[in-house]
Amino acid sequence: MTRHSLSNSPKIKAGLRRTAALLAAFALTLSAGCSPRETAVQPDAAPDAGVQAALGHSQSQSASLEEDRSLSDTLVISTATNQFAAAKRIVIRPSSGQSSGSSQAGTVKVKPASGTASAAKKNLPDELRGIWISYLDFNTLLKNKSASAFKTNIGGAFDNIAALGLNTVFVQVRPYGDALYKSKYFPWSHTVTGTEGTDPGFDPLEIMIAEAHSRGLRVEAWINPYRIRNANSTAALCSSNPAYKWLRQGDSAVIEYKGVISYNPASEKAQQLIADGVEEIVRGYDVDGIHFDDYFYPTTDAAFDQASYKAYQKAGGTLGLAQWRRQNVDTLIKKVYKTIKDVNPAVQFGVSPQGNNDNNLNGQYVDVSKWLTGTGYVDYICPQIYFGYQNSTQPYAETARQWNGMISSSGVKLYIGLAAYKLGAADNWAGDGKNEWVSTSDILSRMVQTGREQSHYGGFILFRYDSLFSSAANTSQVSKEKKNLTAILQ
């Protein structure tokens, strides 16, 4: 069994070709700084033909040398005291007019590690140990809170996360076509103030990044790309919401169908808006990654986008409906990946699809296998393997092996989504494994160890924060699970 340690020796990343003179100059300078939705399409059931309900995420070093891709002819040195600590960067640049590879001494600039988009990214760990913080968690941590109260709340949450042994937080910053950050494209989320479009007077994402990085935690911005409203949503769209404007104009970029409002995956205008929103985050905030969840097409009904499909056929398109829908999603994923890498290649991009891949392919129209065998789609995949070892149709170990076997694209990592929310509850969809989660005290740690056996394994993500740290989760069972998990993360 492969064990992944957080205390590996510092690594010098490829691409640093600095001269001995620059290193000498540096030496002299230093001597003088996801709510569960698994029931929407079950592993043993046919894909839902109606609009699926959606609440949130699916049940879904010591100092190191690193290349700063945004700076030419520079040497960037991270001065973190350990692999995940906040750091400053010392950037050595050649003097003005120097040619690449010059042996002359350069100037030294020190940049903060967090708070600005130009700051140093957290090193990608050998084992990513993450947790999702959903908009549902923000109902307690953030909604109608002052900046100081939110800073205290999120700081406490990050303390809990770090103490558990985790190193990455996935914070949901766009749950409903809105924003938990200052955006020129999307309105303020009703998750922040209770009313969409109301400015809280502070930037939650900016605070989260600063608080997380100061504790050595990586931050990935979790986005739901298409969803605007569920059938059971009661929050009104504000007039500045692009979806509101397009609906009033009858623009096909937005579709309202059976109470669900969604960006149209076939719309180039909608795709560009989503990509622009991602670029805005990567340019404006020191995020370490962009993360999409598993909400793509909201229904399998042909009527949902029949106008767009007929237009496609009229223009000479020959793909069947399912293939065409998958192509639309593929186009968005490639566009977002390229957008991110054009701005900052160090920022990771990944998707967390459902654990049952048949549901992805035929229910969400997500051709994950293409992303894992091709290039230019994702840096990682995080299937939500929310099944126990004894699950009758999707046993955990076998499912993990299947996902690992799907990856052939060089550099794509496998992260595994784990169902912390199931602790202490019967799993009515698990068949013979119905009671597997009821009295267990170490299932999460065992699942991590099984994951570590996979050749493409890169880490795990727990769903979700409240499932482990809310008052309702303050049980002896959850306490034992956390203790046993932490034990294997030392």
Side-chain angles (χ1 to χ4, degrees), residues 36 60 65 75 93 112 186 280 299 371 375 387 402 416 443 458-459 484:
S60 64
L65 302 179
L75 175 63
R93 300 176 184 266
F186 301 97
E280 177 181 55
T299 179
W371 307 347
T375 58
F387 316 112
Q402 290 173 349
I416 298 178
I443 194 169
N484 286 323

PDB file of all heavy atoms in Angstrom, residues 36 60 65 75 93 112 186 280 299 371 375 387 402 416 443 458-459 484:
ATOM      1  N   PRO A  36     -26.776  16.503  -0.370  1.00  0.00           N
ATOM      2  CA  PRO A  36     -26.875  15.230  -1.075  1.00  0.00           C
ATOM      3  C   PRO A  36     -28.003  15.194  -2.101  1.00  0.00           C
ATOM      4  O   PRO A  36     -29.102  15.612  -1.835  1.00  0.00           O
ATOM      5  CB  PRO A  36     -27.123  14.209   0.037  1.00  0.00           C
ATOM      6  CG  PRO A  36     -26.574  14.851   1.245  1.00  0.00           C
ATOM      7  CD  PRO A  36     -26.870  16.310   1.082  1.00  0.00           C
ATOM      8  N   SER A  60     -24.762  13.591  -4.139  1.00  0.00           N
ATOM      9  CA  SER A  60     -23.728  13.687  -4.992  1.00  0.00           C
ATOM     10  C   SER A  60     -22.566  13.815  -4.117  1.00  0.00           C
ATOM     11  O   SER A  60     -23.084  14.284  -3.100  1.00  0.00           O
ATOM     12  CB  SER A  60     -23.696  14.848  -5.839  1.00  0.00           C
ATOM     13  OG  SER A  60     -23.558  16.158  -5.426  1.00  0.00           O
ATOM     14  N   LEU A  65      11.867  25.737  -4.314  1.00  0.00           N
ATOM     15  CA  LEU A  65      12.047  26.530  -5.512  1.00  0.00           C
ATOM     16  C   LEU A  65      10.931  26.188  -6.469  1.00  0.00           C
ATOM     17  O   LEU A  65      10.597  25.038  -6.657  1.00  0.00           O
ATOM     18  CB  LEU A  65      13.397  26.201  -6.168  1.00  0.00           C
ATOM     19  CG  LEU A  65      14.637  26.400  -5.299  1.00  0.00           C
ATOM     20  CD1 LEU A  65      15.868  26.006  -6.087  1.00  0.00           C
ATOM     21  CD2 LEU A  65      14.745  27.832  -4.839  1.00  0.00           C
ATOM     22  N   LEU A  75      13.769  34.139 -10.880  1.00  0.00           N
ATOM     23  CA  LEU A  75      13.870  33.014  -9.959  1.00  0.00           C
ATOM     24  C   LEU A  75      12.917  33.295  -8.812  1.00  0.00           C
ATOM     25  O   LEU A  75      12.978  34.348  -8.189  1.00  0.00           O
ATOM     26  CB  LEU A  75      15.302  32.875  -9.422  1.00  0.00           C
ATOM     27  CG  LEU A  75      15.510  31.791  -8.358  1.00  0.00           C
ATOM     28  CD1 LEU A  75      15.202  30.426  -8.950  1.00  0.00           C
ATOM     29  CD2 LEU A  75      16.932  31.825  -7.853  1.00  0.00           C
ATOM     30  N   ARG A  93      14.941  39.106 -10.375  1.00  0.00           N
ATOM     31  CA  ARG A  93      14.815  39.443 -11.781  1.00  0.00           C
ATOM     32  C   ARG A  93      16.144  39.990 -12.316  1.00  0.00           C
ATOM     33  O   ARG A  93      16.844  40.714 -11.613  1.00  0.00           O
ATOM     34  CB  ARG A  93      13.760  40.535 -11.995  1.00  0.00           C
ATOM     35  CG  ARG A  93      12.357  40.202 -11.533  1.00  0.00           C
ATOM     36  CD  ARG A  93      11.487  41.439 -11.728  1.00  0.00           C
ATOM     37  NE  ARG A  93      10.152  41.250 -11.234  1.00  0.00           N
ATOM     38  CZ  ARG A  93       9.125  40.859 -11.969  1.00  0.00           C
ATOM     39  NH1 ARG A  93       9.324  40.589 -13.235  1.00  0.00           N
ATOM     40  NH2 ARG A  93       7.923  40.730 -11.438  1.00  0.00           N
ATOM     41  N   PRO A 112       3.621  39.040  -0.972  1.00  0.00           N
ATOM     42  CA  PRO A 112       2.866  38.268   0.020  1.00  0.00           C
ATOM     43  C   PRO A 112       2.308  36.996  -0.589  1.00  0.00           C
ATOM     44  O   PRO A 112       2.129  36.904  -1.799  1.00  0.00           O
ATOM     45  CB  PRO A 112       1.741  39.228   0.415  1.00  0.00           C
ATOM     46  CG  PRO A 112       1.582  40.123  -0.781  1.00  0.00           C
ATOM     47  CD  PRO A 112       2.959  40.284  -1.333  1.00  0.00           C
ATOM     48  N   PHE A 186     -21.845  38.426 -12.296  1.00  0.00           N
ATOM     49  CA  PHE A 186     -22.912  37.785 -11.547  1.00  0.00           C
ATOM     50  C   PHE A 186     -23.275  38.605 -10.311  1.00  0.00           C
ATOM     51  O   PHE A 186     -22.407  39.224  -9.689  1.00  0.00           O
ATOM     52  CB  PHE A 186     -22.477  36.375 -11.119  1.00  0.00           C
ATOM     53  CG  PHE A 186     -22.115  35.481 -12.266  1.00  0.00           C
ATOM     54  CD1 PHE A 186     -20.792  35.311 -12.649  1.00  0.00           C
ATOM     55  CD2 PHE A 186     -23.102  34.815 -12.982  1.00  0.00           C
ATOM     56  CE1 PHE A 186     -20.445  34.494 -13.711  1.00  0.00           C
ATOM     57  CE2 PHE A 186     -22.768  33.990 -14.046  1.00  0.00           C
ATOM     58  CZ  PHE A 186     -21.446  33.830 -14.422  1.00  0.00           C
ATOM     59  N   GLU A 280     -12.452  35.755 -14.324  1.00  0.00           N
ATOM     60  CA  GLU A 280     -12.537  36.825 -13.335  1.00  0.00           C
ATOM     61  C   GLU A 280     -12.008  36.371 -11.979  1.00  0.00           C
ATOM     62  O   GLU A 280     -11.279  37.107 -11.307  1.00  0.00           O
ATOM     63  CB  GLU A 280     -13.992  37.266 -13.208  1.00  0.00           C
ATOM     64  CG  GLU A 280     -14.245  38.328 -12.160  1.00  0.00           C
ATOM     65  CD  GLU A 280     -15.711  38.694 -12.081  1.00  0.00           C
ATOM     66  OE1 GLU A 280     -16.551  37.779 -11.889  1.00  0.00           O
ATOM     67  OE2 GLU A 280     -16.023  39.896 -12.213  1.00  0.00           O
ATOM     68  N   THR A 299     -32.025  17.726 -16.804  1.00  0.00           N
ATOM     69  CA  THR A 299     -33.054  16.742 -17.119  1.00  0.00           C
ATOM     70  C   THR A 299     -32.654  15.962 -18.371  1.00  0.00           C
ATOM     71  O   THR A 299     -31.822  16.407 -19.161  1.00  0.00           O
ATOM     72  CB  THR A 299     -34.400  17.431 -17.372  1.00  0.00           C
ATOM     73  OG1 THR A 299     -35.391  16.448 -17.694  1.00  0.00           O
ATOM     74  CG2 THR A 299     -34.314  18.435 -18.508  1.00  0.00           C
ATOM     75  N   TRP A 371     -12.638  12.980 -21.156  1.00  0.00           N
ATOM     76  CA  TRP A 371     -11.769  13.908 -20.436  1.00  0.00           C
ATOM     77  C   TRP A 371     -10.548  13.211 -19.867  1.00  0.00           C
ATOM     78  O   TRP A 371      -9.489  13.824 -19.717  1.00  0.00           O
ATOM     79  CB  TRP A 371     -12.527  14.575 -19.300  1.00  0.00           C
ATOM     80  CG  TRP A 371     -13.812  15.227 -19.676  1.00  0.00           C
ATOM     81  CD1 TRP A 371     -14.269  15.512 -20.953  1.00  0.00           C
ATOM     82  CD2 TRP A 371     -14.820  15.694 -18.794  1.00  0.00           C
ATOM     83  NE1 TRP A 371     -15.496  16.105 -20.900  1.00  0.00           N
ATOM     84  CE2 TRP A 371     -15.870  16.233 -19.597  1.00  0.00           C
ATOM     85  CE3 TRP A 371     -14.950  15.708 -17.416  1.00  0.00           C
ATOM     86  CZ2 TRP A 371     -17.024  16.769 -19.037  1.00  0.00           C
ATOM     87  CZ3 TRP A 371     -16.091  16.250 -16.856  1.00  0.00           C
ATOM     88  CH2 TRP A 371     -17.118  16.774 -17.655  1.00  0.00           C
ATOM     89  N   THR A 375      -6.655  15.302 -23.819  1.00  0.00           N
ATOM     90  CA  THR A 375      -5.880  16.372 -23.188  1.00  0.00           C
ATOM     91  C   THR A 375      -6.675  17.668 -23.254  1.00  0.00           C
ATOM     92  O   THR A 375      -7.549  17.847 -24.102  1.00  0.00           O
ATOM     93  CB  THR A 375      -4.523  16.568 -23.886  1.00  0.00           C
ATOM     94  OG1 THR A 375      -4.749  16.868 -25.279  1.00  0.00           O
ATOM     95  CG2 THR A 375      -3.662  15.320 -23.767  1.00  0.00           C
ATOM     96  N   PHE A 387     -20.531   5.379  -1.841  1.00  0.00           N
ATOM     97  CA  PHE A 387     -21.027   4.032  -1.623  1.00  0.00           C
ATOM     98  C   PHE A 387     -20.136   3.309  -0.622  1.00  0.00           C
ATOM     99  O   PHE A 387     -18.913   3.507  -0.618  1.00  0.00           O
ATOM    100  CB  PHE A 387     -21.038   3.247  -2.942  1.00  0.00           C
ATOM    101  CG  PHE A 387     -21.572   4.022  -4.119  1.00  0.00           C
ATOM    102  CD1 PHE A 387     -20.745   4.392  -5.167  1.00  0.00           C
ATOM    103  CD2 PHE A 387     -22.907   4.385  -4.170  1.00  0.00           C
ATOM    104  CE1 PHE A 387     -21.227   5.106  -6.251  1.00  0.00           C
ATOM    105  CE2 PHE A 387     -23.407   5.107  -5.246  1.00  0.00           C
ATOM    106  CZ  PHE A 387     -22.564   5.475  -6.293  1.00  0.00           C
ATOM    107  N   GLN A 402     -12.460   0.992 -10.792  1.00  0.00           N
ATOM    108  CA  GLN A 402     -13.000   1.304 -12.112  1.00  0.00           C
ATOM    109  C   GLN A 402     -12.643   2.725 -12.538  1.00  0.00           C
ATOM    110  O   GLN A 402     -12.239   2.954 -13.684  1.00  0.00           O
ATOM    111  CB  GLN A 402     -14.519   1.107 -12.110  1.00  0.00           C
ATOM    112  CG  GLN A 402     -14.960  -0.343 -12.022  1.00  0.00           C
ATOM    113  CD  GLN A 402     -16.478  -0.478 -11.855  1.00  0.00           C
ATOM    114  OE1 GLN A 402     -17.177   0.499 -11.597  1.00  0.00           O
ATOM    115  NE2 GLN A 402     -16.973  -1.701 -12.002  1.00  0.00           N
ATOM    116  N   ILE A 416     -10.941  11.216  -4.713  1.00  0.00           N
ATOM    117  CA  ILE A 416     -12.147  10.453  -4.422  1.00  0.00           C
ATOM    118  C   ILE A 416     -13.037  11.227  -3.460  1.00  0.00           C
ATOM    119  O   ILE A 416     -12.598  11.624  -2.379  1.00  0.00           O
ATOM    120  CB  ILE A 416     -11.801   9.070  -3.843  1.00  0.00           C
ATOM    121  CG1 ILE A 416     -10.992   8.258  -4.875  1.00  0.00           C
ATOM    122  CG2 ILE A 416     -13.061   8.313  -3.448  1.00  0.00           C
ATOM    123  CD1 ILE A 416     -10.551   6.889  -4.380  1.00  0.00           C
ATOM    124  N   ILE A 443     -14.751   3.882   8.718  1.00  0.00           N
ATOM    125  CA  ILE A 443     -14.974   3.669   7.288  1.00  0.00           C
ATOM    126  C   ILE A 443     -14.274   4.728   6.436  1.00  0.00           C
ATOM    127  O   ILE A 443     -13.760   4.426   5.361  1.00  0.00           O
ATOM    128  CB  ILE A 443     -16.483   3.599   6.948  1.00  0.00           C
ATOM    129  CG1 ILE A 443     -16.669   3.039   5.536  1.00  0.00           C
ATOM    130  CG2 ILE A 443     -17.168   4.950   7.126  1.00  0.00           C
ATOM    131  CD1 ILE A 443     -18.107   2.680   5.215  1.00  0.00           C
ATOM    132  N   GLY A 458      -4.663  10.763  -6.119  1.00  0.00           N
ATOM    133  CA  GLY A 458      -4.008  11.991  -5.695  1.00  0.00           C
ATOM    134  C   GLY A 458      -4.569  12.567  -4.417  1.00  0.00           C
ATOM    135  O   GLY A 458      -4.021  13.513  -3.874  1.00  0.00           O
ATOM    136  N   GLY A 459      -5.702  11.991  -3.923  1.00  0.00           N
ATOM    137  CA  GLY A 459      -6.261  12.514  -2.691  1.00  0.00           C
ATOM    138  C   GLY A 459      -7.742  12.225  -2.552  1.00  0.00           C
ATOM    139  O   GLY A 459      -8.326  11.452  -3.315  1.00  0.00           O
ATOM    140  N   ASN A 484      -9.846   8.412  13.827  1.00  0.00           N
ATOM    141  CA  ASN A 484      -9.208   7.360  13.023  1.00  0.00           C
ATOM    142  C   ASN A 484      -8.728   7.887  11.686  1.00  0.00           C
ATOM    143  O   ASN A 484      -7.713   7.429  11.146  1.00  0.00           O
ATOM    144  CB  ASN A 484     -10.177   6.207  12.809  1.00  0.00           C
ATOM    145  CG  ASN A 484     -10.358   5.359  14.065  1.00  0.00           C
ATOM    146  OD1 ASN A 484      -9.411   5.136  14.815  1.00  0.00           O
ATOM    147  ND2 ASN A 484     -11.593   4.903  14.326  1.00  0.00           N
TER     148      ASN A 484
END
